[in-house]
Amino acid sequence: MHLLIPAAGSGKRMGANRNKLLLRVGSKPLIAWTLLAAEAASSISWIGIVSQSPDWDDFKSIIADLQLKKTIALILGGATRQESVYNGLQALPTNAGQVLIHDGARCLVTPNLFDVCSDAILHCSGLIAAVPVKDTIKVVDDNGIITSTPERKQLWAAQTPQGFDVNLLKQCHAEGVRQGWEVTDDAALFEKCGLEVRIVPGEETNLKITTPQDLAIAEFILSHRK
């Protein structure tokens, strides 16, 4: 299975002046934990890190320190996550039939989740890891007034990995460029193109590290895993 890791973001919400994936959680940078999980996943054979070129020396150093054995390519990222994934798709090996896309900031992903998604995408054209929403969700208008309360049993919180048929996802991205669509994940492109996306049960600990508080939670989880 081929894996793309969008890693071109900044650390503004973390209060950092550099790529947040270079910040340390526990004993290693964020991106290192993601790479170690991918290395340990039996299904993953190729990894592409989609990032800005100023970060490449740091990523190369991290890869060398981890002594990873799987093929890892550095791919130039875009101005948005959507553009970065588009670039990553163009850089996939020609034999790539399916691809997993996993946000580097979800550094607590387990090898098992990679393997479960890798198996599931062989039997469908699109999927996302997700977990059921536990809280009651309110829809609120611009004035801060609640307009509705969706049925909770139908709500799932999207995670990554997300998996897709490579050719279909390339077509969806091309249509997104043509139509000027701006989306926050690849599943939304599939949905806009009328393609089916399935849910694969994710992991409650598969958090996206966005704030300093998230770093503290990640350190707690990692310390208990050890």
Side-chain angles (χ1 to χ4, degrees):
M1 183 60 61
H2 297 79
L3 171 68
L4 288 175
I5 302 175
S10 67
K12 290 182 180 178
R13 282 183 287 180
M14 294 291 294
N17 58 1
R18 59 176 179 162
N19 191 324
K20 68 180 177 184
L21 299 188
L22 298 174
L23 300 177
R24 300 184 78 83
V25 55
S27 60
K28 297 177 178 63
L30 281 176
I31 188 67
W33 296 107
T34 308
L35 291 171
L36 286 171
E39 175 80 3
S42 60
S43 59
I44 304 297
S45 60
W46 183 96
I47 302 167
I49 302 174
V50 192
S51 60
Q52 304 300 344
S53 55
D55 294 328
W56 285 2
D57 285 344
D58 289 311
F59 285 141
K60 288 177 182 177
S61 177
I62 292 168
I63 292 167
D65 288 344
L66 295 176
Q67 298 181 329
L68 303 178
K69 296 179 174 60
K70 294 183 178 178
T71 300
I72 300 178
L74 294 177
I75 304 162
L76 185 62
T80 64
R81 183 190 186 279
Q82 188 173 338
E83 289 181 10
S84 291
V85 174
Y86 179 89
N87 291 354
L89 290 172
Q90 312 316 309
L92 285 172
T94 56
N95 66 338
Q98 292 83 24
V99 63
L100 295 185
I101 300 167
H102 181 71
D103 292 337
R106 290 189 184 273
C107 65
L108 299 173
V109 63
T110 65
N112 181 68
L113 186 56
F114 277 134
D115 287 336
V116 167
C117 291
S118 293
D119 178 69
I121 196 55
L122 298 177
H123 309 286
C124 64
S125 59
L127 63 81
I128 68 170
V131 293
V133 169
K134 294 179 179 178
D135 298 322
T136 297
I137 302 298
K138 302 292 185 179
V139 178
V140 180
D141 67 18
D142 293 339
N143 297 314
I145 305 300
I146 295 171
T147 60
S148 65
T149 303
E151 182 64 46
R152 187 170 58 189
K153 67 181 181 181
Q154 295 181 320
L155 299 176
W156 289 67
Q159 299 182 343
T160 62
Q162 299 189 356
F164 304 93
D165 175 275
V166 169
N167 288 332
L168 285 177
L169 186 57
K170 284 183 175 180
Q171 292 172 22
C172 291
H173 268 272
E175 184 65 12
V177 171
R178 191 178 74 83
Q179 299 274 13
W181 293 334
E182 295 183 5
V183 298
T184 55
D185 72 357
D186 299 279
L189 286 175
F190 246 54
E191 295 161 31
K192 282 181 171 292
C193 290
L195 296 172
E196 185 178 84
V197 182
R198 296 186 181 181
I199 291 292
V200 170
E203 298 169 337
E204 294 289 348
T205 56
N206 186 21
L207 308 177
K208 186 174 183 180
I209 308 302
T210 304
T211 67
Q213 291 78 12
D214 296 331
L215 276 178
I217 294 170
E219 290 198 12
F220 176 81
I221 293 171
L222 287 170
S223 67
H224 278 259
R225 283 183 181 176
K226 291 177 183 177

